[in-house]
Every structure is written in C-alpha cells, then in structure tokens.
Amino acid sequence: MGRASRDSLRDWLRAPGSLSKRLAALGTRYEVQVLRQEVTPFRQRERDALGLPRRGCTVVREVILWVDGQPLVWARSSVHQTSLAGPWKALKGLGTRPLGHLLYDDPRVTRSELEPRRLARYGHTRRQMQRQWLAATGELPSPQMLWSRNSVFRRRGAELRVMELFLPALKAYRTRPR
C-alpha cells in the first residue's frame, strides 16, 4: 500500500485540501466506516471552536477511514444541530460517503487554518476513540496515536468542526497523490 517516503506525520497534519482524496490515492480501496452519528451535548473544545453558547446540542459524526483494509484515521465532525436544517443539511444523508465531498465540492465552503494538536493520553476523546477503534478493528490503537489536526469549515454563516486523528504508521506513506 502506497510508497514509503521520508514524509513525517507533520506533513499529514499540515497537508491542505481533502484528506479523503489524499488517502484514496494511497491504495485501490478507500472506505469510510461510520461509527456513530447522533445528537449529543457539546464538548468544551467544540463549543469554543464553533463560537457557540454554553447550552445546546451538536450533531457528531465519528468515522474510521480505511485504505486497502488498513484503518488509518479516526475522525470526528461536529455541527450545531440547527445547522442540519440549513447549510449542513446534507450531512444527515451522507452515510458512508466521505465528508470531503460536502466540504470541497462547494465553492461557498471556506476552511480555517489547520491546527495540529496532541490529544491528552487519558482524555475523553482518546478514550472514546480507543473504544470505537477496538470495536471496529478488533485491536487497540497504537498508544502513539495522539496527533490530530483540527479545522472549522464555514458555509453560509454556519460552522462545522472536523478533527482527524492519525495512526502513526501513516507517516510512512506519501502525502501527495501518486
């Protein structure tokens, strides 16, 4: 799968454009496995990133991105539930299609600067990812799976936050399509 290179995980964390397209270029079969999509209370970091009030709910979509049978990325997107009736309503019917189709095929969507972040080793997001990863793959994720990139997408005034958490082994693959 893919060609080894000297690219680092930092290159993946800072790579612009669609992560889905970049991952799909690594192999012959790219898949999105939806782990959950539901309404849930806001997390502090999501509320801050989206500039939302203390109260309210968000719609969360958590997925694993696979290439040729190898899980490489765990991702979480969140949007205020009222945005599902407006600018982000297509999220409801997305299913196993990549979120990137909504984000990069619409010229009205803008993206904030990418923000690499190291997860707390024992934080809530890490524990949630570990449970889901184990259930989906049958294996615990690498203890070194701590680096994520975060960004906010805007469409007609509504914001959608995306966090992508990378398997460390991904650094062995090129960040540019073949």
Side-chain angles (χ1 to χ4, degrees), residues 65-132:
L65 307 178
W66 297 71
V67 176
D68 293 340
Q70 168 85 29
L72 295 174
V73 176
W74 179 86
R76 176 182 169 101
S77 55
S78 53
V79 63
H80 193 278
Q81 70 183 50
T82 58
S83 295
L84 287 184
W88 296 110
K89 66 183 171 187
L91 187 65
K92 287 190 284 190
L94 196 57
T96 58
R97 288 177 294 150
L99 180 60
H101 290 301
L102 291 180
L103 304 177
Y104 295 99
D105 293 346
D106 184 342
R108 296 172 293 182
V109 175
T110 60
R111 183 185 203 174
S112 70
E113 187 174 322
L114 287 168
E115 181 184 332
R117 175 174 291 136
R118 188 174 196 272
L119 283 185
R121 191 174 293 274
Y122 302 104
H124 178 74
T125 299
R126 173 115 174 112
R127 288 191 316 269
Q128 169 111 1
M129 179 276 296
Q130 287 175 319
R131 283 191 302 271
Q132 290 179 340

Side-chain angles (χ1 to χ4, degrees), residues 157-178:
E159 296 180 327
L160 169 79
R161 180 179 185 257
V162 176
M163 183 198 72
E164 298 151 331
L165 183 61
F166 295 85
L167 189 70
L170 190 57
K171 68 185 173 187
Y173 300 99
R174 290 192 157 288
T175 58
R176 289 169 211 78
R178 292 183 268 183

